[in-house]
Amino acid sequence: MNLPTYPLPDERGRYGVFGGRYVPETLIPALDELKAAYASAKADPAFLEQYSTLLREYVGRPSLLYFAENLTRHAGGAKIYLKREDLNHTGAHKINNCLGQALLAVRMGKKRVVAETGAGQHGVASATAAALLGLECVVYMGAEDIRRQALNVFRMRLLGAEVREVTSGTATLKDATNEAIRDWVTNVRGTFYILGSVVGPHPYPAMVRDFQSVIGEETKWQLEALEGRPVPDAIIACVGGGSNAIGIFAPFAYLPENERPRLIGTEAAGQGVESGFHAASVAGGKVGVLHGSMMYLLHDDEGQIQAAHSISAGLDYPGIGPEHCYYSDRGVAEYLPVTDAQALSALQLLARTEGILPALESAHAIHQAVITARELGEGKVVVVNLSGRGDKDVAEVMRLMDKVEAAEVRA
Amino acid sequence: MTGTLPATTRAGRLQAAFQQAAAQGRAAFIPFMTAGYPTPERFHEVALQLLEHADVMEIGLPYSDPLGDGPTIQRASEVALEGGTSTRRTFELIRGLRAHSDKPLVIMTYVNPVYAVGPREFMRLAVEAGVDGLILPDLPPDEDLDIRALAEEAGLALTFLIAPTSTLERVRIVTAACTGFVYAVSVTGVTGAREGGALGEVPALVALARQYTDLPVAVGFGVKDEATARMVASGAGADGVVVGSALVNAVAEGADLGALARDILKGCQKEA
């Protein structure tokens, strides 16, 4: 296999005005080193062979492209296909990127990796890759997320990773990312930072995108086999930082406009964008800088970062990757808000129609898929990136549904 | 960018403060305090107390996500923000200090608060409040050339950071972009008073900077008392000594801030 090459970012790591490298000077040499190491790895057949072998024999790729007939019937319109990233080893798309970065860490002679995690999917995938390749692994996780995702915390510890609780700020993904960056600043000479989404300073957004692009590349030939054409009418994926979405979007995003499918990212609207309790950075944010990159961001008039709110720990992030910001500004992709309640109901819908329990993150995309399939109508094809499985969310969903039922009883 | 600037510019005022300290056989003492910490009123008193001993003062404009800072200054920022210290309030506090002191004042903050207000407007407010310079630890000098141009236009000194990880090429780029002074980070890591003497890389870093610039080189991160100040001033030959977390801790603990400042100032005295 080859990793794809895209026209963006530019040499300075920019997607239009977005992106860049807003980090302490201590890290600049490390980012230069990473950029060079990644470029060399990307051109090295031995590295690519090692990576593709792991994807095939360890992750279980290609992931299935499944025709969701019952969901299609329920929606009553376009055919809905699910790209089953939930079937990957460790249960989400995150492993694609973690293995790529962990291999790079080994190639660069690093013995220790750090990672941040929200829902724990990236933490579990990092711990897994570290265990496989014999690297020491420290995962930073917000105290609030540790509560919501106890199962994944335990999985990481079983895999030999150290999970460090972050209590500063909002005690969620944003603060876990701050702590991971601080650790990296401190231990930069021997430590590799495995970043979990298409955010952060250049070259991270580009590198993570490249490793995740396997999702969209597979979709092309799978759809060709199933439908006789490589490009669907619409592709839908949930967006927090945006790594699963960019993985399925990017191979289509640079097609000429008349050949491009509708690309729809679903942002976590929490209790509604107007409520102020949401994580919808495009719909409810404005341009700013966080974690090394210029992007759409939830922040106040004086630049203080605002807390994001979502039912899903993985989408609970106040920013969105710079390439998505560029897509949004150029009309390449649309970013639509989906609320907590809509996601919760979509989760149950997919479970009951297809016997598939999606992650709360992916449920945001399922909600929009039903709407888009109806809009497009019969004869059209929609692909949804089912980025992860729902096991990790079961306890939290149970708690939330009990709350909903209790409220209904009272009413 | 090297050479002596006229003392009438703000960068020149900064250089003059370093020269005056040097004339007294000292490294300049640059205390740091977070604006509005622990309360706006108390900050005013604390800052005036530090200014009695300072050559230059660094004031932190609080930010919600200070990823270059350790727990002490991060916490101080949280407390200040919770207490209502906004960007505009910070400028008011600085104006309040300016009424009592004509020593150079430098703001340390992150790029997002600057972008949110707009760099041009931010610098106008800073100049109006009597600020002499800016330090933005998450802005490498090659990332945003507009900010450099706007600072020059506003007459504000811009200080960038070099670190022990900096390559020769990075030291060249960073020092060439600095006006006023160069900030050398003593250790890889975030701000914070540390146990033990982990300042082993400082002499080499200061020496390296000197190959590329005639500007004063101040050292910060991990300097906390007379002994560490001496290691930096005499041991490494720095022109300035920045102390932050140790002073913030002293305020938090109600320790004798004047005594600590005097001790550090003693450490700034160059040994013959």
Side-chain angles (χ1 to χ4, degrees):
Chain A
M1 78 181 286
N2 280 314
L3 289 170
T5 299
Y6 297 105
L8 289 175
D10 64 19
E11 187 52 30
R12 298 180 59 236
R14 295 277 179 173
Y15 307 80
V17 300
F18 304 104
R21 301 198 295 183
Y22 298 90
V23 292
E25 184 65 31
T26 306
L27 291 180
I28 295 291
L31 290 170
D32 283 339
E33 184 194 358
L34 177 61
K35 190 177 155 189
Y38 175 56
S40 134
K42 204 173 162 176
D44 178 357
F47 177 86
L48 295 170
E49 178 57 31
Q50 201 182 4
Y51 179 54
S52 65
T53 302
L54 280 178
L55 287 186
R56 193 173 60 243
E57 295 176 7
Y58 188 72
V59 175
R61 302 209 70 91
S63 70
L64 297 174
L65 184 67
Y66 166 72
F67 172 46
E69 196 174 350
N70 297 333
L71 184 66
T72 297
R73 199 177 308 120
H74 170 87
K79 291 171 88 167
I80 301 174
Y81 283 90
L82 305 178
K83 182 61 175 157
R84 299 287 310 274
E85 292 300 299
D86 61 314
L87 295 180
N88 289 342
H89 179 49
T90 72
H93 69 290
K94 296 287 187 185
I95 190 75
N96 303 329
N97 167 52
C98 285
L99 282 171
Q101 290 196 42
L103 284 175
L104 202 51
V106 171
R107 187 182 165 94
M108 292 171 74
K110 311 283 182 182
K111 307 273 185 248
R112 176 179 184 267
V113 296
V114 293
E116 81 295 335
T117 199
Q121 297 294 65
H122 176 62
V124 168
S126 298
T128 300
L132 181 70
L133 299 174
L135 297 161
E136 181 192 344
C137 179
V138 173
V139 179
Y140 289 88
M141 190 167 185
E144 169 64 12
D145 292 335
I146 284 182
R147 181 194 67 72
R148 289 195 280 192
Q149 301 293 342
L151 185 62
N152 270 343
V153 173
F154 187 59
R155 287 169 78 195
M156 285 182 259
R157 289 183 173 143
L158 280 177
L159 291 160
E162 181 192 339
V163 180
R164 289 195 190 158
E165 181 177 25
V166 177
T167 53
S168 57
T170 55
T172 59
L173 180 54
K174 158 180 93 75
D175 306 283
T177 307
N178 286 337
E179 286 307 325
I181 294 175
R182 289 189 181 107
D183 182 313
W184 193 35
V185 173
T186 305
N187 302 297
V188 59
R189 285 167 172 144
T191 295
F192 188 102
Y193 178 22
I194 300 187
L195 214 160
S197 197
V198 283
V199 300
H202 179 62
Y204 277 105
M207 185 170 67
V208 176
R209 170 199 63 194
D210 296 353
F211 286 132
Q212 293 294 3
S213 284
V214 65
I215 305 171
E217 292 296 338
E218 284 175 6
T219 300
K220 282 184 194 166
W221 61 258
Q222 289 173 318
L223 206 60
E224 175 80 51
L226 292 161
E227 290 287 331
R229 57 182 172 124
V231 182
D233 298 286
I235 297 177
I236 300 165
C238 66
V239 182
S243 70
N244 88 83
I246 216 84
I248 197 163
F249 288 178
F252 300 93
Y254 295 95
L255 292 173
E257 195 180 336
N258 58 346
E259 295 170 31
R260 201 164 58 214
R262 273 184 74 183
L263 302 174
I264 303 173
T266 54
E267 294 195 295
Q271 298 171 27
V273 175
E274 65 295 333
S275 73
F277 288 90
H278 63 86
S281 313
V282 174
K286 46 191 187 295
V287 177
V289 170
L290 182 67
H291 298 146
S293 173
M294 185 168 281
M295 56 185 166
Y296 282 112
L297 190 60
L298 306 180
H299 57 148
D300 68 17
D301 290 343
E302 293 198 333
Q304 306 295 341
I305 310 301
Q306 289 167 328
H309 295 272
S310 170
I311 193 174
S312 145
L315 302 182
D316 206 348
Y317 183 74
I320 169 171
E323 191 163 357
H324 286 296
C325 300
Y326 176 84
Y327 290 174
S328 176
D329 274 14
R330 300 294 171 106
V332 172
E334 308 154 68
Y335 296 86
L336 304 175
V338 174
T339 64
D340 286 350
Q342 289 167 334
L344 201 54
S345 135
L347 179 140
Q348 295 169 74
L349 174 67
L350 191 68
R352 288 176 191 181
T353 54
E354 297 288 348
I356 296 172
L357 195 56
L360 275 168
E361 289 82 349
S362 316
H364 288 74
I366 295 293
H367 171 81
Q368 184 59 40
V370 171
I371 295 172
T372 303
R374 274 181 197 146
E375 273 173 22
L376 289 172
E378 281 183 38
K380 305 285 185 177
V381 171
V382 174
V383 176
V384 187
N385 198 15
L386 202 69
S387 56
R389 68 177 186 222
D391 307 32
K392 69 179 170 63
D393 293 320
V394 168
E396 183 68 3
V397 167
M398 188 159 69
R399 193 180 71 84
L400 292 165
M401 285 175 64
D402 283 350
K403 239 164 87 177
V404 171
E405 275 165 26
E408 279 168 0
V409 169
R410 275 200 306 274
Chain B
M1 281 296 182
T2 58
T4 309
L5 288 160
T8 47
T9 67
R10 292 179 182 80
R13 274 166 51 84
L14 274 161
Q15 285 186 37
F18 281 95
Q19 278 160 9
Q20 198 185 341
Q24 295 169 11
R26 292 187 292 113
F29 172 41
I30 311 174
F32 166 92
M33 190 54 57
T34 302
Y37 180 79
T39 64
E41 296 71 28
R42 183 84 182 102
F43 165 78
H44 181 76
E45 297 166 13
V46 163
L48 286 183
Q49 200 179 356
L50 290 171
L51 273 165
E52 277 177 36
H53 309 282
D55 296 289
V56 174
M57 175 135 184
E58 192 184 326
I59 295 163
L61 187 151
Y63 176 52
S64 55
D65 291 71
L67 57 77
D69 283 301
T72 299
I73 292 174
Q74 184 184 15
R75 182 71 197 130
S77 288
E78 283 177 12
V79 169
L81 288 169
E82 282 160 17
T85 303
S86 60
T87 298
R88 279 162 214 282
R89 187 85 174 94
T90 297
F91 287 129
E92 279 170 30
L93 288 168
I94 291 175
R95 212 173 295 127
L97 298 177
R98 201 27 106 211
H100 294 87
S101 171
D102 61 359
K103 288 181 178 172
L105 302 174
V106 174
I107 285 184
M108 192 286 293
T109 193
Y110 290 79
V111 291
N112 206 49
V114 177
Y115 283 149
V117 174
R120 187 182 292 273
E121 174 66 3
F122 188 95
M123 291 188 205
R124 189 187 68 77
L125 292 169
V127 168
E128 195 182 78
V131 172
D132 298 282
L134 281 179
I135 303 173
L136 304 171
D138 59 344
L139 186 74
D142 36 359
E143 192 55 58
D144 186 331
L145 303 176
D146 283 354
I147 287 219
R148 283 169 62 181
L150 288 169
E152 196 175 339
E153 201 180 302
L156 282 171
L158 261 188
T159 287
F160 295 99
L161 284 66
I162 53 173
T165 52
S166 296
T167 57
L168 293 181
E169 177 63 5
R170 292 300 308 174
V171 172
R172 187 188 66 74
I173 291 170
V174 174
T175 54
C178 288
T179 51
F181 67 102
V182 176
Y183 193 133
V185 175
S186 64
V187 291
T188 63
V190 292
T191 59
R194 288 166 171 78
E195 290 306 311
L199 302 173
E201 297 182 282
V202 183
L205 188 59
V206 172
L208 191 59
R210 295 224 191 280
Q211 290 178 23
Y212 293 93
T213 182
D214 297 330
L215 289 177
V217 180
V219 171
F221 285 39
V223 185
K224 59 179 176 180
D225 52 18
E226 184 182 342
T228 43
R230 184 168 293 118
M231 285 168 70
V232 166
S234 295
D239 304 303
V241 175
V242 186
V243 183
S245 298
L247 297 173
V248 174
N249 279 333
V251 170
E253 291 157 9
D256 186 343
L257 197 63
L260 178 58
R262 279 190 296 275
D263 278 353
I264 295 168
L265 195 58
K266 241 185 277 169
C268 289
Q269 190 68 41
K270 302 262 188 186
E271 286 164 348

